[in-house]
Amino acid sequence: MKAAVLKSFGTPLAIEDVPAPVLGTGEVIVDIVSTRVISYTNEVLSGERQYALDLPVVPGAGGVGRVRAIGPDATKLAVGDWVLCGPTVRSRDDAIAPDIHLQGVSARGEGGMRLQKYFHDGSFAEQIRVPTENVTRLGQISATEADQWCALGNMLVPYGGFLAAKLQPGETVLVSGATGNFGSAAVAVALAMGAACVVAPGRNETMLAELVRRYGERVRPVKLTGNEADDCARMKRAAPGPIDCVFDIMPPSVATTVVRAAIMTVRPYGRVVLMGGVNMQGGAGLELPYNWIMRECITIHGVWMYPPDAAVRLIALVRAGLLRLDHYETKAFDLDHANEAVAYAAANAGPFSMTMIRP
């Protein structure tokens, strides 16, 4: 089969024929119809993000496709089913604290690297082999709809954070990083889950206005100034009442003061979700006040990705009409032009924009 292969960091992807995946027990092989190119893929492939990848590797974080083959433990899937392939691979021998590997992206720790050696290659290929539990049925869709269904990959990340924080209908949420690709998805997901209001801080006034245009008055935009104390006060004033939950998904390049200003807006007994890149590449930490966390009874959730049942629940929100996929505009490339797709994704990294590879 044809695939895009990263042979060394900082070199272009090689488009070449590689052996097709071989089915094992507890696995599914899927023909990839569409896979999204994450906006920072160029930083992963260059080595800038210092992600743990066993090279050579086929990159690509999940996608949408049709089942080619199933193992004996699959009782609901059938060959030909349209499915979402999730990249979050978990070890099966420790339900409490499993090792995690993001197939085709990165691994965490020694156990994650061991997982990566087996579930090695990602979705920039004609076929992918994934654990059975990483395949979720979409129901009947058309090939032309596959691109938009890939938006679930953006939405699942914040959805996992909100599930961890037990977001309730009627609550007020602040999304730190709301004008980014994952942040704008967080705004949509919070509203779909029933948030009464989403405070959306950012410096891009055009994009803040666009969030309001798309999602209405439940979105309260806040133009950030860069002054930590002033920004914290402005965000609090924008909310109709106490802020129940703060969700952060800022990238590594953002100053910790910006993140801290958002976190400090949460009410007593409130929850904070950390899913961003602060301190990923070294440097200062958040330096949150110990006494404030303790006396205000603040709960802080560090969340990486999402639980195994999240995809089923998120698809149900889409099918119920609570979460729309048609906000996304897509630009598609074939597999032969995977390097062009990576460059395009980096240059067009804003919200409501997805770059696709269609193998």
Side-chain angles (χ1 to χ4, degrees):
M1 69 168 185
K2 185 187 291 185
V5 182
L6 178 66
K7 297 188 175 182
S8 61
F9 290 114
T11 63
L13 294 169
I15 314 303
E16 59 188 34
D17 288 328
V18 301
V22 177
L23 184 69
T25 301
E27 299 165 12
V28 176
I29 294 177
V30 176
D31 290 323
I32 294 293
V33 174
S34 183
T35 176
R36 83 193 198 285
V37 183
I38 301 173
S39 59
Y40 56 80
T41 299
N42 64 318
E43 297 176 13
V44 176
L45 304 186
S46 70
E48 179 181 345
R49 289 222 169 191
Q50 301 178 19
Y51 280 6
L53 274 172
D54 181 38
L55 304 181
V57 66
V58 176
V64 168
R66 307 194 77 169
V67 172
R68 169 178 283 263
I70 57 176
D73 63 333
T75 61
K76 302 292 195 301
L77 286 171
V79 172
D81 280 349
W82 282 99
V83 292
L84 174 73
C85 299
T88 310
V89 179
R90 296 174 174 85
S91 59
R92 294 165 170 164
D93 54 353
D94 188 344
I96 294 176
D99 288 305
I100 296 179
H101 153 53
L102 299 186
Q103 190 170 355
V105 181
S106 181
R108 186 180 69 185
E110 180 183 352
M113 289 300 293
R114 288 172 62 188
L115 278 176
Q116 185 182 109
K117 287 184 180 300
Y118 186 72
F119 291 106
H120 186 254
D121 292 325
S123 54
F124 289 5
E126 293 177 324
Q127 298 174 27
I128 188 172
R129 175 172 57 91
V130 295
T132 304
E133 62 270 25
N134 283 48
V135 172
T136 307
R137 291 180 298 169
L138 292 172
Q140 188 56 43
I141 68 170
S142 67
T144 57
E145 294 174 312
D147 286 357
Q148 285 194 329
W149 279 98
C150 284
L152 292 175
N154 286 351
M155 295 174 171
L156 274 166
V157 174
Y159 187 52
F162 289 133
L163 288 176
K166 295 180 172 59
L167 179 63
Q168 300 298 308
E171 290 192 316
T172 294
V173 175
L174 185 146
V175 174
S176 176
T179 58
N181 199 267
F182 284 101
S184 57
V187 173
V189 169
L191 294 173
M193 293 176 72
C197 171
V198 176
V199 178
R203 296 187 178 184
N204 187 331
E205 290 186 273
T206 300
M207 194 49 62
L208 291 173
E210 184 64 15
L211 288 170
V212 176
R213 186 187 74 80
R214 290 173 185 259
Y215 298 116
E217 295 181 354
R218 290 163 68 195
V219 176
R220 303 290 179 89
V222 179
K223 176 68 165 65
L224 295 178
T225 66
N227 181 286
E228 185 175 351
D230 288 350
D231 285 340
C232 186
R234 289 163 66 89
M235 287 183 274
K236 286 183 176 181
R237 286 197 301 268
I243 294 172
D244 302 290
C245 178
V246 172
F247 174 89
D248 177 78
I249 195 147
M250 285 290 199
S253 58
V254 172
T256 56
T257 53
V258 177
V259 177
R260 186 168 56 234
I263 291 172
M264 297 294 292
T265 65
V266 76
R267 65 167 171 81
Y269 298 88
R271 295 98 70 205
V272 175
V273 179
L274 304 179
M275 296 193 81
V278 169
N279 205 33
M280 180 183 294
Q281 298 171 344
L286 281 176
E287 299 181 3
L288 294 174
Y290 182 103
N291 285 338
W292 172 76
I293 296 171
M294 181 267 292
R295 294 189 179 186
E296 301 298 334
C297 300
I298 305 300
T299 301
I300 298 177
H301 299 269
V303 184
W304 198 35
M305 304 306 286
Y306 44 85
D309 63 344
V312 175
R313 298 176 183 275
L314 195 66
I315 291 167
L317 288 178
V318 176
R319 291 299 188 188
L322 297 170
L323 188 61
R324 292 173 52 183
L325 305 178
D326 58 0
H327 282 292
Y328 285 87
E329 297 180 1
T330 62
K331 171 71 172 179
F333 297 79
D334 60 28
L335 195 54
D336 287 331
H337 295 88
N339 288 296
E340 289 88 336
V342 171
Y344 185 89
N348 297 271
F352 314 117
S353 174
M354 286 196 304
T355 304
M356 321 304 302
I357 292 177
R358 296 177 183 163

